[in-house]
Structures are given as C-alpha cells and as structure tokens.
Amino acid sequence: SQTIHQWPATLVQPVGSPLSLECTVEGTSNPNLYWYRQAAGRGLQLLFYSVGIGQISSEVPQNLSASRPQDRQFILSSKKLLLSDSGFYLCAWGTGLPNYEQYFGPGTRLTVT
Amino acid sequence: AQTVTQSQPEMSVQEAETVTLSCTYDTSENNYYLFWYKQPPSRQMILVIRQEAYKQQNATENRFSVNFQKAAKSFSLKISDSQLGDTAMYFCAFMKHGGGATNKLIFGTGTLLAVQP
C-alpha cells in the first residue's frame, strides 16, 4: 500500500530564515505530487504540483519554491521566510486516471516568528 | 473559475443520529469530480467519498453517502449512525476532469462537525 511521509511535523522559524520541508511517498512510482497550504480556519490552497523529476509548476506566486530531486521526493523551500508563510503545509500524491484521488501526508505546522 | 461553498461553519449531532453537511459549487464544466475530505484533530486529511459528475448514482461508502444534484450544483454529505470518531472538519472539494497534470483540488472553507455523546 502507498504511504506518504512528511517532516518535520512542527517547525518554528524566525523571519528571514530559510525553510526546507520534505515529503516522500512509498509504494507507488511516478506519482503526481502536490504541496498545499492551509491557513488557520480555511481550506487548502494548492501551491505547487509536479508530474515528474525536475518538473514543477507553481499555482500561486509567492516566497516559496519546490523541487523534485527524486521520483518520490518533493521538497518545499524558501530562502527567507515571511510572517505570512505561517500555516499548515500538506503534501499529497495523486492517483491520476481513472479516479483522480489525492491522498495526503500528516502535514507540517510552520510558525514564523 | 470554479468555487466551492460550504455555508455551515459548524454543526453538532448526537451520537447515533444522522447529519447532513451542505456543499454547493460553481462551474461551467460538464465533467468533473467531487470529493469530501475529513480532517480530524490530528489534521490528517482523509478522503471520505468521491463522486463523478457523469454518474447519476449517488456514491456511498459505509455510513457515508452523498446527495449529488448536478443541475443545482449541490453535493451534500450524509453521515448515518454518527460516531464520536466522526468529529472533524469536513471539506468539500472540486476537481475539473481532464485538467491535465494539474488535477487541482479546489476546497471549500469547511464545516466543523461535533458528535455529542
């Protein structure tokens, strides 16, 4: 069965510091991968998606970037965090055809101070 | 652009009772997918149920069922025999069919459901 991991689970970082969040998927190959952000009391917003190694598409212009160095690894980064980057970050993998279901990791709670 | 609206910020139900969560959406697409996700206090997003717009039959997964009204653009979730473990935030989500690689999920703002003992 497929499993998706995220770390760290919780992170507190000062403004201006760098960020690296990691997501890995097990049990499937060449998955579509997604980074979402959930602000407090709100739904999820898609930040980035990837259909393969080195292939990244951005949905929202912002202070963040993403990379996919390996087939089942997806990384969310920032060179300098802003207060507005605080939130809950969720990685997901998608089954694609025919059901288009997406399954989420446990998430990372990021607080920028 | 597609939008998803959940007009009930909070709901409460007694254990073993039935509750219905509402969701409406706006789209000009004819073919799409609709989902309900559950987010318990652990904050893990869990897929509850999926509905394909081209299917007239309402989806059912154990105690969870949907009432899909395509013309009205309505997609409600019914939870039967509510259990304490159903306490969670519930999100309705839309995905355009044939969206290519994106397969972007568009989420509503959620309904917080509390199951009372």
Side-chain angles (χ1 to χ4, degrees), chain A residues 13-34:
Chain A
Q13 291 283 94
V15 168
S17 64
L19 172 74
S20 181
L21 303 182
E22 189 166 344
C23 169
T24 59
V25 182
E26 296 177 356
T28 185
S29 58
N30 196 30
N32 290 342
L33 296 174
Y34 307 85

Side-chain angles (χ1 to χ4, degrees), chain A residues 67-87:
Chain A
S67 62
R68 186 167 175 176
Q70 299 181 42
D71 181 46
R72 287 168 283 183
Q73 184 184 32
F74 204 23
I75 297 173
L76 184 69
S77 304
S78 174
K79 292 182 179 179
K80 290 185 178 182
L81 283 168
L82 306 173
L83 285 174
S84 58
D85 291 325
S86 292

Side-chain angles (χ1 to χ4, degrees), chain A residues 58-105:
Chain A
S58 173
E59 283 288 305
V60 181
Q62 63 217 316
N63 185 44
L64 302 169
S65 62
S67 62
R68 186 167 175 176
Q70 299 181 42
D71 181 46
R72 287 168 283 183
Q73 184 184 32
F74 204 23
I75 297 173
L76 184 69
S77 304
S78 174
K79 292 182 179 179
K80 290 185 178 182
L81 283 168
L82 306 173
L83 285 174
S84 58
D85 291 325
S86 292
F88 191 61
Y89 289 83
L90 287 148
C91 180
W93 74 275
T95 63
L97 288 168
N99 295 328
Y100 293 106
E101 294 173 354
Q102 290 186 17
Y103 295 93
F104 288 80

Side-chain angles (χ1 to χ4, degrees), chain B residues 36-103:
Chain B
W36 279 99
Y37 280 87
K38 165 185 175 181
Q39 188 178 41
S42 67
R43 301 202 73 176
Q44 173 97 45
M45 291 287 283
I46 301 167
L47 177 62
V48 175
I49 200 165
R50 181 190 80 250
Q51 174 78 42
E52 293 91 337
Y54 63 86
K55 289 186 177 179
Q56 292 185 338
Q57 185 174 5
N58 289 322
T60 299
E61 288 287 344
N62 301 315
R63 298 183 295 106
F64 298 88
S65 61
V66 299
N67 183 3
F68 173 50
Q69 301 290 328
K70 190 173 184 179
K73 296 180 181 175
S74 171
F75 182 60
S76 60
L77 175 69
K78 184 172 81 172
I79 305 174
S80 304
D81 185 26
S82 296
Q83 301 175 0
L84 296 178
D86 295 333
T87 292
M89 182 74 86
Y90 287 81
F91 291 96
C92 178
F94 171 99
M95 179 189 292
K96 185 172 67 173
H97 178 68
T102 309
N103 294 330

